[in-house]
């Protein structure tokens, strides 16, 4: 009976966490660490702190860094996020705003990338054009097609401060691959954005689910057999 209870408890126990996170500090709560950027980091706050194209910081409110930016908070309403003054597409010296070497990947495994983006431009004092499409590449920096394009999104001026999730999947071709997020708008002015909660997790394959379900089935049969055995000989 104790064995049966133990087996039943094991079957009822929560599944081990399938979603191992492969991105370090993707929520930026540890600050400006764990990733590299071709943008220039600015540590200080101030009304002109992020005036320069291709500058970025990790902060809690975009309005602290640019007097034309809206007051946008981190994804979920608080916390750190990456705040960037996006540069025009084609500026190869400052292309990737976020890059990180993913490690521990399994070749052939499918992974799901996702991240949240928002437009921080602008407040009512800004009268220029806007629009910040993102492209996300994996395994290499620019230019495409040397890297794998896995996701893109566009955050426009009417969506200032609205966090939008974008996602895509890729198959690992090496245990260590580069994840890069870059901005592809051709217009520098008004092209300013926030990023938060960048994530890469393995996608369970149908075969894996089948094996898991099959495993439960076998375990269930084993338990039923034990129960019958117990009844017969008790
Ligand atoms: Ca955050
Ligand atoms: Ca800009």
């Amino acid at each position: 009976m104790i064995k049966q209870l133990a087996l039943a408890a094991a079957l009822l126990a929560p599944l081990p966490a399938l979603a191992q996170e492969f991105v370090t500090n993707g929520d930026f709560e540890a600050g400006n660490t764990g990733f590299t950027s071709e943008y220039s980091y600015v540590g200080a706050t101030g009304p002109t702190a992020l005036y320069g194209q291709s500058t970025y910081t990790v902060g809690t409110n975009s309005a602290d860094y640019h007097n034309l930016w809206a007051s946008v908070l981190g994804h979920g309403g608080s916390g750190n996020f990456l705040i960037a003054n996006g540069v025009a597409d084609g500026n190869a010296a400052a292309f990737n705003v976020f890059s990180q070497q993913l490690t521990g990947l399994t070749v052939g495994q499918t992974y799901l990338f996702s991240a949240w983006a928002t437009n921080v431009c602008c407040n009512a004092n800004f009268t220029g054009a806007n629009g910040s499409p993102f492209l996300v590449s994996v395994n290499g920096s620019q230019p495409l097609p040397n890297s794998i394009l896995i996701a893109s999104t566009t955050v426009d001026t009417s969506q200032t401060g609205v966090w939008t999730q974008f996602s895509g999947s890729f198959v690992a071709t090496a245990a260590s691959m580069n994840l890069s997020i870059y901005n592809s708008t051709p217009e520098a002015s008004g092209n300013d954005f926030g990023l938060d909660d960048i994530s890469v997790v393995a996608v369970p394959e149908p075969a894996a689910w089948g094996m898991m379900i099959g495993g439960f089935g076998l375990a269930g049969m084993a338990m039923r057999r034990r129960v019958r055995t117990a009844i017969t000989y008790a």
Side-chain angles (χ1 to χ4, degrees):
M1 190 61 182
I2 289 167
K3 267 186 185 174
Q4 291 158 21
L5 285 173
L7 185 57
L11 289 170
L12 292 172
L15 288 172
L18 294 170
Q20 179 194 345
E21 179 57 65
F22 287 89
V23 176
T24 300
N25 193 32
D27 61 6
F28 300 100
E29 299 311 316
N32 181 37
T33 184
F35 66 97
T36 60
S37 180
E38 292 175 346
Y39 285 36
S40 301
Y41 176 71
V42 174
T45 58
T48 64
L50 286 183
Y51 259 29
Q53 304 297 328
S54 75
T55 56
Y56 82 98
T57 194
V58 174
T60 57
N61 188 334
S62 51
D64 293 341
Y65 301 91
H66 196 305
N67 61 356
L68 293 177
W69 286 352
S71 177
V72 179
L73 305 178
H75 175 232
S78 65
N80 287 341
F81 65 112
L82 188 151
I83 305 166
N85 188 327
V87 69
D89 181 22
N91 186 338
F95 199 83
N96 295 302
V97 64
F98 175 98
S99 290
Q100 186 173 112
Q101 200 67 22
L102 307 177
T103 59
L105 302 176
T106 301
V107 174
Q109 168 72 49
T110 301
Y111 292 88
L112 176 67
F113 160 87
S114 63
W116 291 81
T118 188
N119 192 350
V120 299
C121 182
C122 282
N123 61 37
N125 295 324
F126 178 78
T127 56
N130 208 346
S132 303
F134 289 94
L135 294 179
V136 179
S137 71
V138 166
N139 193 25
S141 55
Q142 54 87 23
L144 293 170
N146 294 329
S147 51
I148 307 166
L149 178 63
I150 57 172
S152 66
T153 190
T154 302
V155 285
D156 62 39
T157 184
S158 65
Q159 299 293 308
T160 300
V162 177
W163 284 97
T164 304
Q165 189 178 35
F166 59 112
S167 63
S169 62
F170 64 96
V171 177
T173 55
S176 180
M177 297 178 71
N178 179 265
L179 173 73
S180 290
I181 299 179
Y182 63 94
N183 168 260
S184 64
T185 188
E187 178 60 52
S189 178
N191 164 27
D192 307 315
F193 52 87
L195 287 170
D196 206 354
D197 292 331
I198 300 166
S199 169
V200 169
V201 295
V203 177
E205 296 293 323
W209 283 110
M211 284 172 62
M212 198 181 296
I213 292 164
F216 279 127
L218 288 173
M221 281 170 59
M223 186 168 74
R224 281 194 296 275
R225 222 175 359 248
R226 284 185 190 206
V227 170
R228 266 205 302 274
T229 302
I231 289 167
T232 305
Y233 294 102

